[in-house]
Amino acid sequence: MDSLVQKSVVALLSHRPETVDAGPFVIGWDPTSDSRFISYATPRPGAVITSDGVTALVAAFRKINRVPRLEYVTSCAPDLEQHLLHAGFTIEARHQYLVCTPDTLTVPVTPAGFDIVEPTTDEEFAGGLAARNEAFGGEPTAGPADVARVRRTQERGGVVLVARADDGTYVGGGQASPPGAGLSEVAGIGVREAFRRRGVAGALTATITARAFATGVEAAWLEAGGDDSWRVYERVGYVPMGQRLYIALD
């Protein structure tokens, strides 16, 4: 599973608006955003990593004016971490990823008072994104570039859903990446604080996952941001698997 997840990350980055092949690495980046979480690199599974390769990777990032940063499954490049640390990189986080299959998925009933829908208009995309941004501690806004980015995910075969209260208030949302290496990454599941602990996050996660399976992927994977989200994901059928590393050179 580690190799499949890493291959799915390579596929995901390869479909960013711009890509750079830097030796054993692929950089996926978006000229419309300077977010370090959108533009980053990952190694190809099984590639030979050297200190010279890391130096070339940093130079490639500097050329596009982005922070040198990587996300990857550690077992797929076991020597890479030491090369990066030697080059001055700093570890941001270590995460255990979780995996769900059609056999383990449980889809709960959407809680009363809420709807989970697929956005079709700019207003719906922006509403869901603004709610997600607020859920993650950012400003409750979303601009045209943000809407365009999520629309691309949907247009390329990914899943985008928003959650709304009966009065029309956008309370959250999430998405799944287009299929890559037979997998899909479920990401950005966020519910505004005032609407948490009502079952919305679980319903969102499970519904997004079910729709990803409907596209033909064999499994979905995600990362949990804390104990509360971990419990939500396990309840709908996600099982802990391997380790991923976030590391950057600021």
Side-chain angles (χ1 to χ4, degrees):
M1 184 56 70
D2 279 0
S3 180
L4 286 176
V5 169
Q6 184 59 27
K7 287 178 180 177
S8 79
V9 178
V10 171
L12 177 64
L13 291 181
S14 297
H15 287 93
R16 287 284 197 266
E18 299 286 345
T19 60
V20 177
D21 288 322
F25 305 97
V26 58
I27 304 172
W29 68 291
D30 188 336
T32 69
S33 173
D34 59 3
S35 171
R36 64 198 292 138
F37 303 109
I38 292 175
S39 300
Y40 59 92
T42 205
R44 291 179 176 84
V48 176
I49 308 295
T50 66
S51 58
D52 287 343
V54 171
T55 300
L57 176 67
V58 172
F61 268 107
R62 300 305 189 201
K63 188 173 182 179
I64 61 174
N65 195 30
R66 292 295 184 273
V67 173
R69 185 175 179 276
L70 298 93
E71 297 182 10
Y72 69 99
V73 178
T74 54
S75 70
C76 293
D79 299 327
L80 176 56
E81 182 178 335
Q82 287 306 311
H83 284 299
L84 294 171
L85 292 175
H86 182 74
F89 281 70
T90 301
I91 293 171
E92 294 179 333
R94 297 184 190 273
H95 290 299
Q96 186 171 24
Y97 69 82
L98 298 87
V99 172
C100 183
T101 68
D103 291 337
T104 63
L105 177 64
T106 297
V107 182
V109 175
T110 301
F114 301 94
D115 287 317
I116 295 176
V117 299
E118 183 177 22
T120 59
T121 67
D122 285 354
E123 185 273 335
E124 289 173 332
F125 278 103
L129 281 169
R132 288 163 61 182
N133 288 340
E134 181 179 324
F136 290 113
E139 293 296 323
T141 59
D146 302 310
V147 170
R149 188 176 305 113
V150 179
R151 275 194 179 275
R152 283 197 300 269
T153 294
Q154 187 185 68
E155 291 165 357
R156 289 181 42 245
V159 179
V160 180
L161 296 179
V162 300
R164 290 188 302 212
D166 284 348
D167 64 2
T169 301
Y170 290 93
V171 305
Q175 64 191 61
S177 67
L183 274 64
S184 181
E185 180 190 8
V186 173
I189 304 294
V191 176
R192 294 169 59 198
E193 186 171 3
F195 299 94
R196 293 174 187 169
R197 295 178 177 80
R198 305 191 197 184
V200 177
L204 266 171
T205 303
T207 304
I208 289 170
T209 304
R211 294 203 183 190
F213 290 152
T215 69
V217 300
E218 300 174 7
W221 66 277
L222 52 69
E223 294 178 350
D227 290 343
D228 289 344
S229 57
W230 188 283
R231 286 189 288 269
V232 168
Y233 301 146
E234 286 191 314
R235 280 197 294 268
V236 301
Y238 279 83
V239 178
M241 288 284 181
Q243 300 285 333
R244 295 222 315 148
L245 178 67
Y246 290 12
I247 188 167
L249 179 64
D250 289 305

